[in-house]
Amino acid sequence: MSNNSDLVQIRPLGHTKLFQPIKVGTHTLPQRIAFAPSTRQRGTSDYYPTDLQLPYYKARGQYPGTLVITEATYVSPGGAGRANVPGIWNDKQAAGWKKITDAIREEKSYSSVQLWHLGRTADPAQLKHDGQPFIAPSPVYMDKDSEEQAKKVGNELRAATKEELEDLINNVYPNGARKALEAGFDYVELHSAHGYFLDQFLNQGTNHRTDEYGGSVENRARLLLAIIDKLIPIVGANRLAVRLSPWATFQLKEFDGEEVHAYILKELQKRADAGNELAYISLVEPRVSASYDVAAHDQKGSNAFAEKIWKGKFVKAGNYTYDAPKFETLLHDLDNDRTLIAFSRFFTSNPDLVYRLKNGVALQHYDRPTFYTHDNYGYNTWNQHDGNKQFDKEVEQKRVGKVLA
Ligand code: PHB
């Protein structure tokens, strides 16, 4: 955590497009680096952001113009279902987040929130504890464990009703987006990737509906597009974004693939052509499935199709360090004027990642066992390139977050 024994050598990228300005919505960022949304579970057990998160995000925004996309954040109590993840549906949560976005802004960096609904990937016991139903497009359990648990606690997975979907479109997502604006976020991103609720609608393995939200590509994409259309006048298209993972099989049996995503991107491009271009499309590269690498021979496809359809900005994420120190893929993908590169795992372990990439300072390897713990060890205990503080593991493990309000 504080010693640099496990290092990944890199070369300086300061002279590359990574460090040239790019316009994202209304802001011109001086460089093209984003912190990809990364679940870290340092919120409170009842979904508030904490004082541990404040220095964590401030440090990751310390180089001006970094796009700090905060972790997936529950849009509503019904979208929750795992403890220690923050939400953004009430004023107290928004007040906590405001301190975080203020800190990022003080560094002259930019913040984006990722609105999250777990759907079938929630813990049915946690939802039950919160008095919430366990809903998904269709009652298709993620696995046997989820099914057994749901039955045991008496909160079985069921298809969301049309009224519930209309409520999500007309009230739940608009409320989350409004709270995000009150909280001072520069951008609002919808999480429609990695097998979570909105992605469960896109995927044929999880969406067996026979109404207008299931079946054809148009129907499976309907919920996401309806939410986007509802949010455009509330947030402003130029502050709105969406995350998609066409090739990930994370929490899914089959990847979604090109067809449904090509349709979504065509629809979004239509809106762009009519004057409502989203700030960015966040696209997960086929090299990863959530936070796991996918071996080259298991990679399912390519995102090249997306570039042909969507003419706006992309934030691309997915193991861009795999070919360090050459960074050929990163440089290839930057070879246009509409791509930002996002890092997740190496941003967790290098608060000064931007400096390191610019100057070719070796990266501290990330520490997966501390990704989802709830204390400060492995969270705010990474040295900067010029630091050598020794952190006491026992002390830091006792440091748990307090509500930021
Ligand atoms: C996770 O918590 O495992 C997680 C969250 C959001 C993602 C992927 C994985 O997009």
Side-chain angles (χ1 to χ4, degrees):
M1 222 61 33
S2 56
N3 78 53
N4 291 0
S5 57
D6 197 2
L7 293 176
V8 176
Q9 298 302 326
I10 62 168
R11 68 186 174 93
L13 297 171
H15 62 290
T16 71
K17 279 217 163 155
L18 197 57
F19 289 90
Q20 287 179 12
I22 189 164
K23 194 158 185 266
V24 181
T26 50
H27 301 293
T28 298
L29 282 51
Q31 31 93 356
R32 305 180 183 190
I33 300 173
F35 181 18
S38 308
T39 295
R40 300 300 309 273
Q41 300 195 2
R42 263 62 176 196
T44 66
S45 60
D46 56 352
Y47 315 124
Y48 287 93
T50 67
D51 58 350
L52 293 185
Q53 291 174 259
L54 181 64
Y56 171 79
Y57 282 120
K58 187 174 171 71
R60 278 144 193 85
Q62 69 185 282
Y63 296 98
T66 308
L67 176 58
V68 179
I69 309 172
T70 57
E71 66 219 75
T73 297
Y74 298 140
V75 70
S76 63
R82 283 193 226 155
N84 300 103
V85 170
I88 188 143
W89 66 80
N90 67 37
D91 290 343
K92 190 169 154 191
Q93 290 162 332
W97 279 116
K98 179 76 169 50
K99 296 199 167 157
I100 294 172
T101 65
D102 282 348
I104 294 170
R105 191 164 288 120
E106 269 167 32
E107 302 294 343
K108 299 194 166 53
S109 283
Y110 298 91
S111 58
S112 184
V113 67
Q114 193 194 37
L115 299 183
W116 203 19
H117 189 305
L118 294 181
R120 73 170 193 161
T121 70
D123 172 0
Q126 179 80 25
L127 288 175
K128 172 102 178 177
H129 167 268
D130 296 343
Q132 297 296 328
F134 188 26
I135 59 168
S138 305
V140 183
Y141 283 101
M142 187 167 61
D143 51 34
K144 270 261 155 288
D145 278 357
S146 173
E147 181 168 1
E148 279 167 17
Q149 177 76 343
K151 288 185 170 149
K152 191 170 123 197
V153 301
N155 197 15
E156 293 192 37
L157 188 65
R158 65 164 173 80
T161 63
K162 263 169 73 167
E163 292 67 37
E164 283 169 329
L165 298 184
E166 278 159 19
D167 188 45
L168 285 167
I169 297 164
N170 294 319
N171 302 310
V172 171
Y173 275 89
N175 177 64
R178 284 195 182 94
K179 293 293 162 217
L181 298 180
E182 284 166 32
F185 281 100
D186 294 298
Y187 305 96
V188 176
E189 173 179 314
L190 299 175
H191 196 340
S192 186
H194 289 148
Y196 294 108
F197 188 72
L198 293 178
D199 194 19
Q200 289 158 28
F201 277 81
L202 307 185
N203 192 276
Q204 286 179 292
T206 47
N207 184 345
H208 296 172
R209 298 177 77 94
T210 54
D211 64 4
E212 68 265 42
Y213 294 101
S216 65
V217 160
E218 290 79 359
N219 283 357
R220 282 182 276 131
R222 189 177 305 283
L223 178 65
L224 174 62
L225 291 172
I227 294 171
I228 290 173
D229 287 338
K230 185 78 191 182
L231 294 190
I232 284 175
I234 296 172
V235 176
N238 57 11
R239 299 178 70 180
L240 192 60
V242 60
R243 189 170 218 216
L244 304 167
S245 58
W247 310 108
T249 51
F250 185 70
Q251 305 179 127
L252 296 168
K253 295 227 163 23
E254 296 284 333
F255 54 92
D256 307 337
E258 194 170 313
E259 201 189 2
V260 71
H261 286 99
Y263 172 75
I264 292 166
L265 293 171
K266 272 185 209 141
E267 284 296 313
L268 295 178
Q269 187 56 45
K270 270 194 216 163
R271 287 152 178 78
D273 294 339
N276 284 319
E277 180 173 305
L278 296 199
Y280 62 88
I281 304 288
S282 168
L283 207 53
V284 179
E285 289 294 290
R287 290 180 300 278
V288 296
S289 187
S291 67
Y292 294 94
D293 294 334
V294 177
H297 62 271
D298 287 330
Q299 289 173 23
K300 305 287 191 281
S302 147
N303 282 336
F305 76 95
E307 280 154 43
K308 297 200 185 98
I309 303 169
W310 173 250
K311 304 297 177 208
K313 302 299 183 319
F314 284 110
V315 171
K316 291 190 172 184
N319 198 10
Y320 273 100
T321 45
Y322 84 99
D323 59 354
K326 286 191 175 160
F327 287 114
E328 280 173 352
T329 300
L330 177 144
L331 294 174
H332 172 270
D333 288 2
L334 279 171
D335 196 17
N336 53 56
D337 281 309
R338 59 199 190 101
T339 306
L340 290 86
I341 304 293
F343 300 86
S344 167
R345 292 170 290 181
F346 279 101
F347 231 137
T348 69
S349 50
N350 298 277
D352 56 348
L353 182 66
V354 174
Y355 178 95
R356 289 175 191 253
L357 291 171
K358 188 169 190 178
N359 297 294
V361 179
L363 308 181
Q364 301 173 113
H365 205 281
Y366 54 83
D367 182 46
R368 188 176 289 276
T370 57
F371 278 0
Y372 307 119
T373 45
H374 309 316
D375 56 72
N376 203 40
Y377 187 67
Y379 194 57
N380 287 306
T381 56
W382 294 94
N383 273 309
Q384 306 258 111
H385 56 279
D386 53 357
N388 63 357
K389 189 164 185 257
Q390 299 300 308
F391 293 96
D392 184 327
K393 186 169 179 176
E394 280 188 24
V395 170
E396 298 304 333
Q397 284 182 327
K398 288 198 187 96
R399 211 186 295 265
V400 292
K402 293 191 190 66
V403 181
L404 196 57

